[in-house]
């Protein structure tokens, strides 16, 4: 990769990934959420995810963030959408790429990195979610 620096006339938003893991039978679907350890939205529930590192591929960031925050590895992730509405993140203009996996059953999770807690919730009875994660979950539910 070239080390040349470029200047653009356009501001560059930050890029993040969000992970939607859904498990169980259609009559009893669960979704994996993390409790945020840090601001913004400290103490609120959110989808696992985080910032894409410089020169990191999106899928690699998704795999890394999922492992760091929940201990989950080796699940088949599929890119499902992009979310970039201004104001979705109070830290600044942030575009998030969502990845999803549908599992037969829940798997053991362990909170790590900037997640205070990680657990499975009924998709029909979710707590209030941070950022625009309610919108992301609703889009995933509709397929």
């Amino acid at each position: 990769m070239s080390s040349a620096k470029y200047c653009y006339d356009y501001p560059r938003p930050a890029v993040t990934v969000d992970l939607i893991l859904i498990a169980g039978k259609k009559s009893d679907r669960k979704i994996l959420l993390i409790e945020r350890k840090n601001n913004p939205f400290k103490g609120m529930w959110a989808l696992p995810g985080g910032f894409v590192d410089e020169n990191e591929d999106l899928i690699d960031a998704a795999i890394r963030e999922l492992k760091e925050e929940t201990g989950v590895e080796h699940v088949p992730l599929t890119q499902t959408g992009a979310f970039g509405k201004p104001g979705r993140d109070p830290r600044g203009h942030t575009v998030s790429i969502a990845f999803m996996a549908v599992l037969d059953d829940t798997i053991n999770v362990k909170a790590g990195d900037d997640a205070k807690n990680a657990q499975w919730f009924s998709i029909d009875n979710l707590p209030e979610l941070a950022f625009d994660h309610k919108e992301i979950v609703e889009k995933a539910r509709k397929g």
Side-chain angles (χ1 to χ4, degrees):
M1 178 91 15
S2 171
S3 63
K5 298 287 182 187
Y6 296 95
C7 292
Y8 297 95
D9 292 335
Y10 303 98
R12 288 179 269 172
V15 179
T16 61
V17 291
D18 286 310
L19 293 302
I20 308 153
L21 267 64
I22 296 176
K25 295 178 177 62
K26 288 191 181 203
S27 61
D28 186 31
R29 293 274 189 190
K30 306 252 188 261
I31 190 165
L32 181 59
L33 300 176
I34 58 111
E35 183 181 3
R36 291 185 52 82
K37 191 187 293 185
N38 304 313
N39 282 319
F41 303 109
K42 181 178 180 178
M44 288 187 69
W45 292 94
L47 295 168
F51 287 95
V52 176
D53 291 337
E54 189 172 5
N55 297 317
E56 184 177 35
D57 190 32
L58 294 172
I59 188 66
D60 293 336
I63 291 166
R64 175 183 53 78
E65 284 290 342
L66 186 60
K67 181 180 178 184
E68 286 177 0
E69 291 189 344
T70 69
V72 173
E73 296 183 86
H74 312 296
V75 295
L77 297 171
T78 303
Q79 187 174 324
T80 61
F83 300 83
K85 187 181 293 181
R88 66 173 300 276
D89 188 329
R91 296 169 291 193
H93 187 192
T94 304
V95 175
S96 187
I97 311 303
F99 288 84
M100 183 172 170
V102 178
L103 310 172
D104 291 335
D105 205 352
T106 59
I107 54 180
N108 290 333
V109 296
K110 182 180 178 187
D113 194 32
D114 55 353
K116 181 178 177 182
N117 192 1
Q119 70 183 58
W120 293 94
F121 285 83
S122 167
I123 200 163
D124 295 320
N125 190 22
L126 296 177
E128 183 180 355
L129 299 178
F131 303 99
D132 59 351
H133 291 183
K134 180 179 179 184
E135 177 185 341
I136 295 171
V137 170
E138 287 303 315
K139 183 172 190 264
R141 289 183 75 173
K142 292 176 184 172

